[in-house]
Structures are given as C-alpha cells and as structure tokens.
Amino acid sequence: MQTTFKFEPHTHTAETSKCGRIPACELVETHHALGFSSLAVTDHLHETYIQLLYCRDDWNTCVDRLLDGYRRAKARADELNMFLLMGIELRFVESDNDYLIYGADEDFLR
C-alpha cells in the first residue's frame, strides 16, 4: 500500500502578504480539497512589508500583524486535521534576495 503525502512549501496569506490573494482559511480549505496533507505559510518579513503593517514603532504589534494569516490558517488546518508549518520569507535590507525559513514559531520572532 502506498501512502501519498502532498505538501505545499510556499504560500502567502491575503491577511499578511501583499502578494497573497487568498484569505488564510480559504487557502487551507482549497489545499485540503485538493488532497494536500500539509502546507507552509511563508508570509513576507522585510522592511517594505513592515511598513505596510503600520506598526514600525512597536515590534510586538508587528509580530501580531505578521502572524495574523498564519494564526487563521493554523486554526482552520487544525479543524481539518492538516499539518501547518510556520515559515517566513525573509529579506535583509542589504540584499534583494529572499530566504525561506521553515519551522519558526512565535518565540523566534519575539
């Protein structure tokens, strides 16, 4: 018997990333309907996105706004018995490159 494991490693939520077009709950539901076992929410974290979150002077508020999409996706994934991995698409001021970090948690950001 073969077990199928479908995993999407790079998604963005409409709640957090400007390139995310689908709300977090719908993103999870769509992947679930397509037979995915898990996915990673990798919303953006860099200067431009922090400016869009309107929280530049309060890091804890920035973290809460950054995690909004992930938290909504996680709650829906738990209801559907899906595994949701927290990731971050990170960009440093000195570079135009983006780096994916997987397995982050809220403590990592605080």
Side-chain angles (χ1 to χ4, degrees):
M1 183 170 111
Q2 182 179 4
T3 302
T4 301
F5 182 79
K6 290 174 75 174
F7 173 67
E8 170 56 63
H10 188 171
T11 62
H12 298 293
T13 66
E15 288 85 354
T16 302
S17 289
K18 70 178 180 181
C19 63
R21 304 268 192 286
I22 302 172
C25 290
E26 186 179 336
L27 181 75
V28 170
E29 291 165 357
T30 300
H31 280 82
H32 183 262
L34 292 171
F36 282 79
S37 309
S38 59
L39 65 142
V41 171
T42 54
D43 285 327
H44 292 276
L45 177 59
H46 59 75
E47 185 70 21
T48 301
Y49 283 89
I50 289 173
Q51 290 174 3
L52 294 173
L53 296 173
Y54 303 105
C55 59
R56 186 175 177 82
D57 295 329
D58 182 352
W59 180 249
N60 287 324
T61 299
C62 284
V63 170
D64 286 336
R65 291 184 182 163
L66 173 72
L67 293 175
D68 183 41
Y70 167 78
R71 288 174 176 158
R72 291 171 190 242
K74 176 72 172 131
R76 187 64 182 127
D78 287 349
E79 292 171 356
L80 295 172
N81 200 29
M82 288 180 69
F83 177 74
L84 191 86
L85 181 65
M86 182 179 158
I88 299 168
E89 188 167 342
L90 182 64
R91 182 182 300 166
F92 298 100
V93 176
E94 301 82 15
S95 172
D96 286 337
N97 295 325
D98 291 330
Y99 302 92
L100 291 172
I101 298 172
Y102 294 102
D105 61 18
E106 295 193 29
D107 291 336
F108 173 81
L109 294 169
R110 298 216 191 252

Short mmCIF file of all heavy atoms in Angstrom, two decimals, residues 51-92:
data_model
loop_
_atom_site.label_atom_id
_atom_site.label_comp_id
_atom_site.label_asym_id
_atom_site.label_seq_id
_atom_site.Cartn_x
_atom_site.Cartn_y
_atom_site.Cartn_z
N GLN A 51 6.39 48.17 6.80
CA GLN A 51 5.77 49.47 6.57
C GLN A 51 4.29 49.32 6.25
O GLN A 51 3.46 50.12 6.70
CB GLN A 51 6.49 50.21 5.44
CG GLN A 51 7.87 50.66 5.81
CD GLN A 51 8.63 51.25 4.63
OE1 GLN A 51 8.11 51.37 3.53
NE2 GLN A 51 9.88 51.62 4.87
N LEU A 52 3.93 48.29 5.50
CA LEU A 52 2.53 48.06 5.13
C LEU A 52 1.68 47.60 6.32
O LEU A 52 0.46 47.71 6.28
CB LEU A 52 2.43 47.03 4.00
CG LEU A 52 3.02 47.46 2.66
CD1 LEU A 52 3.03 46.30 1.68
CD2 LEU A 52 2.24 48.64 2.09
N LEU A 53 2.33 47.06 7.34
CA LEU A 53 1.60 46.60 8.52
C LEU A 53 1.31 47.74 9.51
O LEU A 53 0.62 47.55 10.50
CB LEU A 53 2.39 45.49 9.23
CG LEU A 53 2.59 44.20 8.46
CD1 LEU A 53 3.52 43.26 9.23
CD2 LEU A 53 1.26 43.52 8.17
N TYR A 54 1.84 48.93 9.24
CA TYR A 54 1.61 50.11 10.08
C TYR A 54 1.90 49.84 11.55
O TYR A 54 1.08 50.09 12.42
CB TYR A 54 0.19 50.63 9.90
CG TYR A 54 -0.13 50.95 8.47
CD1 TYR A 54 -0.95 50.11 7.72
CD2 TYR A 54 0.42 52.06 7.85
CE1 TYR A 54 -1.22 50.38 6.39
CE2 TYR A 54 0.16 52.35 6.51
CZ TYR A 54 -0.67 51.50 5.79
OH TYR A 54 -0.93 51.75 4.48
N CYS A 55 3.11 49.35 11.80
CA CYS A 55 3.47 49.01 13.18
C CYS A 55 4.94 49.25 13.45
O CYS A 55 5.49 48.75 14.41
CB CYS A 55 3.14 47.54 13.44
SG CYS A 55 4.04 46.42 12.33
N ARG A 56 5.58 49.99 12.63
CA ARG A 56 7.03 50.14 12.65
C ARG A 56 7.61 50.45 14.03
O ARG A 56 8.69 50.00 14.38
CB ARG A 56 7.43 51.23 11.66
CG ARG A 56 8.89 51.39 11.48
CD ARG A 56 9.15 52.41 10.37
NE ARG A 56 10.54 52.66 10.21
CZ ARG A 56 11.38 51.90 9.52
NH1 ARG A 56 10.93 50.83 8.94
NH2 ARG A 56 12.64 52.20 9.40
N ASP A 57 6.89 51.20 14.85
CA ASP A 57 7.43 51.61 16.15
C ASP A 57 7.12 50.64 17.28
O ASP A 57 7.52 50.89 18.42
CB ASP A 57 6.90 53.01 16.51
CG ASP A 57 7.39 54.07 15.54
OD1 ASP A 57 8.51 53.91 15.01
OD2 ASP A 57 6.65 55.04 15.30
N ASP A 58 6.41 49.56 17.00
CA ASP A 58 6.04 48.61 18.05
C ASP A 58 6.23 47.19 17.51
O ASP A 58 5.36 46.67 16.81
CB ASP A 58 4.59 48.84 18.48
CG ASP A 58 4.15 47.91 19.60
OD1 ASP A 58 4.89 46.98 19.97
OD2 ASP A 58 3.03 48.13 20.10
N TRP A 59 7.37 46.57 17.83
CA TRP A 59 7.71 45.26 17.28
C TRP A 59 6.67 44.20 17.61
O TRP A 59 6.32 43.38 16.77
CB TRP A 59 9.09 44.83 17.73
CG TRP A 59 9.45 43.49 17.15
CD1 TRP A 59 9.58 42.31 17.82
CD2 TRP A 59 9.68 43.19 15.77
NE1 TRP A 59 9.89 41.29 16.94
CE2 TRP A 59 9.95 41.81 15.67
CE3 TRP A 59 9.68 43.95 14.60
CZ2 TRP A 59 10.22 41.17 14.47
CZ3 TRP A 59 9.95 43.32 13.39
CH2 TRP A 59 10.21 41.96 13.34
N ASN A 60 6.13 44.20 18.83
CA ASN A 60 5.14 43.18 19.21
C ASN A 60 3.88 43.31 18.38
O ASN A 60 3.27 42.30 17.99
CB ASN A 60 4.83 43.23 20.70
CG ASN A 60 5.97 42.67 21.52
OD1 ASN A 60 6.63 41.71 21.12
ND2 ASN A 60 6.22 43.26 22.67
N THR A 61 3.46 44.52 18.06
CA THR A 61 2.31 44.73 17.18
C THR A 61 2.65 44.22 15.78
O THR A 61 1.81 43.58 15.13
CB THR A 61 1.91 46.21 17.14
OG1 THR A 61 1.54 46.62 18.47
CG2 THR A 61 0.74 46.44 16.19
N CYS A 62 3.86 44.48 15.32
CA CYS A 62 4.29 43.97 14.00
C CYS A 62 4.22 42.45 13.96
O CYS A 62 3.73 41.87 12.98
CB CYS A 62 5.72 44.41 13.68
SG CYS A 62 5.87 46.13 13.19
N VAL A 63 4.70 41.80 15.00
CA VAL A 63 4.68 40.33 15.05
C VAL A 63 3.23 39.84 15.02
O VAL A 63 2.91 38.91 14.26
CB VAL A 63 5.42 39.81 16.29
CG1 VAL A 63 5.18 38.31 16.47
CG2 VAL A 63 6.91 40.10 16.18
N ASP A 64 2.36 40.46 15.79
CA ASP A 64 0.96 40.04 15.80
C ASP A 64 0.32 40.21 14.42
O ASP A 64 -0.41 39.33 13.96
CB ASP A 64 0.15 40.82 16.84
CG ASP A 64 0.46 40.38 18.26
OD1 ASP A 64 0.91 39.21 18.44
OD2 ASP A 64 0.26 41.18 19.19
N ARG A 65 0.61 41.30 13.75
CA ARG A 65 0.05 41.53 12.40
C ARG A 65 0.67 40.57 11.40
O ARG A 65 -0.01 40.07 10.51
CB ARG A 65 0.23 42.97 12.00
CG ARG A 65 -0.66 43.88 12.82
CD ARG A 65 -0.58 45.31 12.40
NE ARG A 65 -1.44 46.11 13.28
CZ ARG A 65 -1.35 47.41 13.39
NH1 ARG A 65 -0.47 48.09 12.68
NH2 ARG A 65 -2.16 48.06 14.20
N LEU A 66 1.97 40.32 11.53
CA LEU A 66 2.64 39.37 10.64
C LEU A 66 2.04 37.98 10.79
O LEU A 66 1.87 37.26 9.81
CB LEU A 66 4.14 39.33 10.96
CG LEU A 66 4.94 38.25 10.23
CD1 LEU A 66 5.09 38.62 8.76
CD2 LEU A 66 6.28 38.04 10.87
N LEU A 67 1.70 37.59 12.01
CA LEU A 67 1.21 36.25 12.28
C LEU A 67 -0.30 36.09 12.07
O LEU A 67 -0.82 34.98 12.19
CB LEU A 67 1.56 35.84 13.71
CG LEU A 67 3.04 35.65 13.98
CD1 LEU A 67 3.28 35.38 15.46
CD2 LEU A 67 3.62 34.54 13.12
N ASP A 68 -0.99 37.15 11.73
CA ASP A 68 -2.44 37.07 11.58
C ASP A 68 -2.86 35.99 10.58
O ASP A 68 -3.70 35.15 10.88
CB ASP A 68 -3.00 38.44 11.16
CG ASP A 68 -4.52 38.43 11.07
OD1 ASP A 68 -5.18 37.83 11.95
OD2 ASP A 68 -5.04 39.04 10.12
N GLY A 69 -2.28 36.00 9.40
CA GLY A 69 -2.62 34.99 8.39
C GLY A 69 -2.26 33.59 8.84
O GLY A 69 -3.06 32.65 8.69
N TYR A 70 -1.08 33.43 9.42
CA TYR A 70 -0.66 32.11 9.90
C TYR A 70 -1.62 31.60 10.98
O TYR A 70 -2.04 30.44 10.94
CB TYR A 70 0.77 32.16 10.46
CG TYR A 70 1.10 30.91 11.24
CD1 TYR A 70 1.42 29.74 10.57
CD2 TYR A 70 1.04 30.89 12.63
CE1 TYR A 70 1.69 28.57 11.27
CE2 TYR A 70 1.31 29.73 13.33
CZ TYR A 70 1.63 28.58 12.65
OH TYR A 70 1.87 27.42 13.34
N ARG A 71 -1.96 32.44 11.94
CA ARG A 71 -2.83 32.01 13.04
C ARG A 71 -4.21 31.58 12.52
O ARG A 71 -4.76 30.58 12.98
CB ARG A 71 -2.98 33.14 14.06
CG ARG A 71 -1.73 33.36 14.88
CD ARG A 71 -1.87 34.58 15.76
NE ARG A 71 -0.72 34.75 16.63
CZ ARG A 71 -0.39 35.91 17.17
NH1 ARG A 71 -1.13 36.99 16.95
NH2 ARG A 71 0.67 36.00 17.95
N ARG A 72 -4.74 32.31 11.56
CA ARG A 72 -6.04 31.93 10.98
C ARG A 72 -5.92 30.61 10.22
O ARG A 72 -6.79 29.75 10.32
CB ARG A 72 -6.54 33.03 10.06
CG ARG A 72 -6.94 34.30 10.77
CD ARG A 72 -7.22 35.42 9.78
NE ARG A 72 -7.37 36.68 10.42
CZ ARG A 72 -8.48 37.41 10.40
NH1 ARG A 72 -9.53 36.98 9.74
NH2 ARG A 72 -8.53 38.57 11.01
N ALA A 73 -4.83 30.48 9.45
CA ALA A 73 -4.61 29.24 8.70
C ALA A 73 -4.42 28.06 9.66
O ALA A 73 -4.95 26.97 9.42
CB ALA A 73 -3.39 29.39 7.79
N LYS A 74 -3.69 28.27 10.72
CA LYS A 74 -3.43 27.20 11.69
C LYS A 74 -4.71 26.72 12.34
O LYS A 74 -4.94 25.51 12.50
CB LYS A 74 -2.44 27.71 12.75
CG LYS A 74 -2.16 26.75 13.88
CD LYS A 74 -1.31 25.59 13.44
CE LYS A 74 -0.88 24.76 14.63
NZ LYS A 74 -1.11 23.35 14.44
N ALA A 75 -5.58 27.65 12.72
CA ALA A 75 -6.84 27.27 13.35
C ALA A 75 -7.68 26.42 12.40
O ALA A 75 -8.24 25.39 12.80
CB ALA A 75 -7.61 28.52 13.78
N ARG A 76 -7.75 26.81 11.13
CA ARG A 76 -8.54 26.04 10.15
C ARG A 76 -7.87 24.70 9.85
O ARG A 76 -8.55 23.68 9.72
CB ARG A 76 -8.74 26.85 8.87
CG ARG A 76 -9.68 26.20 7.89
CD ARG A 76 -11.09 26.11 8.50
NE ARG A 76 -11.98 25.44 7.57
CZ ARG A 76 -12.73 24.39 7.89
NH1 ARG A 76 -12.73 23.91 9.12
NH2 ARG A 76 -13.51 23.83 6.99
N ALA A 77 -6.55 24.69 9.74
CA ALA A 77 -5.83 23.43 9.48
C ALA A 77 -6.06 22.45 10.62
O ALA A 77 -6.25 21.25 10.38
CB ALA A 77 -4.34 23.71 9.30
N ASP A 78 -6.05 22.92 11.86
CA ASP A 78 -6.31 22.05 13.00
C ASP A 78 -7.70 21.43 12.91
O ASP A 78 -7.88 20.24 13.19
CB ASP A 78 -6.15 22.81 14.31
CG ASP A 78 -4.70 23.11 14.67
OD1 ASP A 78 -3.78 22.56 14.01
OD2 ASP A 78 -4.49 23.93 15.59
N GLU A 79 -8.68 22.22 12.50
CA GLU A 79 -10.05 21.71 12.35
C GLU A 79 -10.13 20.62 11.28
O GLU A 79 -10.94 19.70 11.39
CB GLU A 79 -11.01 22.84 11.98
CG GLU A 79 -11.22 23.86 13.07
CD GLU A 79 -11.99 25.08 12.61
OE1 GLU A 79 -12.31 25.20 11.41
OE2 GLU A 79 -12.28 25.94 13.46
N LEU A 80 -9.29 20.75 10.24
CA LEU A 80 -9.31 19.79 9.13
C LEU A 80 -8.28 18.68 9.30
O LEU A 80 -8.07 17.87 8.40
CB LEU A 80 -9.05 20.53 7.81
CG LEU A 80 -10.13 21.53 7.40
CD1 LEU A 80 -9.67 22.34 6.19
CD2 LEU A 80 -11.44 20.83 7.12
N ASN A 81 -7.60 18.67 10.45
CA ASN A 81 -6.57 17.67 10.74
C ASN A 81 -5.43 17.69 9.71
O ASN A 81 -4.93 16.66 9.28
CB ASN A 81 -7.19 16.26 10.83
CG ASN A 81 -6.30 15.31 11.58
OD1 ASN A 81 -5.55 15.72 12.45
ND2 ASN A 81 -6.36 14.04 11.22
N MET A 82 -5.05 18.90 9.32
CA MET A 82 -3.91 19.11 8.43
C MET A 82 -2.73 19.62 9.24
O MET A 82 -2.91 20.29 10.26
CB MET A 82 -4.23 20.15 7.34
CG MET A 82 -5.18 19.69 6.28
SD MET A 82 -5.46 21.02 5.07
CE MET A 82 -3.86 21.10 4.25
N PHE A 83 -1.53 19.35 8.75
CA PHE A 83 -0.32 19.87 9.38
C PHE A 83 0.01 21.20 8.72
O PHE A 83 0.07 21.30 7.50
CB PHE A 83 0.84 18.90 9.21
CG PHE A 83 2.13 19.42 9.78
CD1 PHE A 83 2.33 19.47 11.15
CD2 PHE A 83 3.12 19.89 8.94
CE1 PHE A 83 3.51 19.98 11.68
CE2 PHE A 83 4.31 20.39 9.45
CZ PHE A 83 4.50 20.43 10.83
N LEU A 84 0.22 22.24 9.53
CA LEU A 84 0.58 23.55 9.01
C LEU A 84 1.92 23.94 9.60
O LEU A 84 2.10 23.96 10.82
CB LEU A 84 -0.47 24.59 9.36
CG LEU A 84 -0.27 25.91 8.63
CD1 LEU A 84 -0.95 25.86 7.28
CD2 LEU A 84 -0.80 27.05 9.44
N LEU A 85 2.86 24.25 8.75
CA LEU A 85 4.20 24.64 9.16
C LEU A 85 4.33 26.15 9.06
O LEU A 85 3.96 26.74 8.04
CB LEU A 85 5.23 23.95 8.26
CG LEU A 85 6.70 24.20 8.54
CD1 LEU A 85 7.09 23.63 9.90
CD2 LEU A 85 7.55 23.57 7.45
N MET A 86 4.87 26.75 10.08
CA MET A 86 5.12 28.19 10.02
C MET A 86 6.48 28.43 9.38
O MET A 86 7.48 27.85 9.78
CB MET A 86 5.10 28.81 11.42
CG MET A 86 5.30 30.30 11.39
SD MET A 86 5.24 30.95 13.07
CE MET A 86 6.11 32.47 12.85
N GLY A 87 6.46 29.27 8.39
CA GLY A 87 7.70 29.69 7.74
C GLY A 87 7.68 31.19 7.59
O GLY A 87 6.70 31.86 7.89
N ILE A 88 8.78 31.71 7.13
CA ILE A 88 8.90 33.15 6.90
C ILE A 88 9.71 33.34 5.62
O ILE A 88 10.71 32.66 5.40
CB ILE A 88 9.63 33.85 8.07
CG1 ILE A 88 8.88 33.67 9.36
CG2 ILE A 88 9.86 35.32 7.75
CD1 ILE A 88 9.66 34.08 10.58
N GLU A 89 9.27 34.26 4.77
CA GLU A 89 10.09 34.66 3.64
C GLU A 89 10.79 35.95 4.07
O GLU A 89 10.17 37.01 4.17
CB GLU A 89 9.24 34.87 2.38
CG GLU A 89 10.09 35.09 1.16
CD GLU A 89 9.31 34.98 -0.13
OE1 GLU A 89 8.20 34.42 -0.14
OE2 GLU A 89 9.84 35.46 -1.14
N LEU A 90 12.05 35.83 4.35
CA LEU A 90 12.83 36.88 4.98
C LEU A 90 13.72 37.58 3.95
O LEU A 90 14.31 36.94 3.08
CB LEU A 90 13.71 36.25 6.07
CG LEU A 90 14.59 37.14 6.91
CD1 LEU A 90 13.75 38.08 7.76
CD2 LEU A 90 15.48 36.28 7.80
N ARG A 91 13.78 38.88 4.05
CA ARG A 91 14.70 39.67 3.22
C ARG A 91 15.43 40.66 4.11
O ARG A 91 14.83 41.30 4.97
CB ARG A 91 13.95 40.44 2.14
CG ARG A 91 14.90 41.23 1.23
CD ARG A 91 14.18 42.04 0.18
NE ARG A 91 13.39 41.17 -0.67
CZ ARG A 91 12.46 41.62 -1.51
NH1 ARG A 91 12.18 42.90 -1.58
NH2 ARG A 91 11.78 40.78 -2.25
N PHE A 92 16.73 40.75 3.90
CA PHE A 92 17.54 41.70 4.66
C PHE A 92 17.66 43.00 3.89
O PHE A 92 17.59 43.02 2.66
CB PHE A 92 18.93 41.11 4.92
CG PHE A 92 18.88 39.85 5.74
CD1 PHE A 92 18.97 38.61 5.14
CD2 PHE A 92 18.72 39.91 7.12
CE1 PHE A 92 18.91 37.44 5.89
CE2 PHE A 92 18.66 38.75 7.87
CZ PHE A 92 18.76 37.51 7.26
#
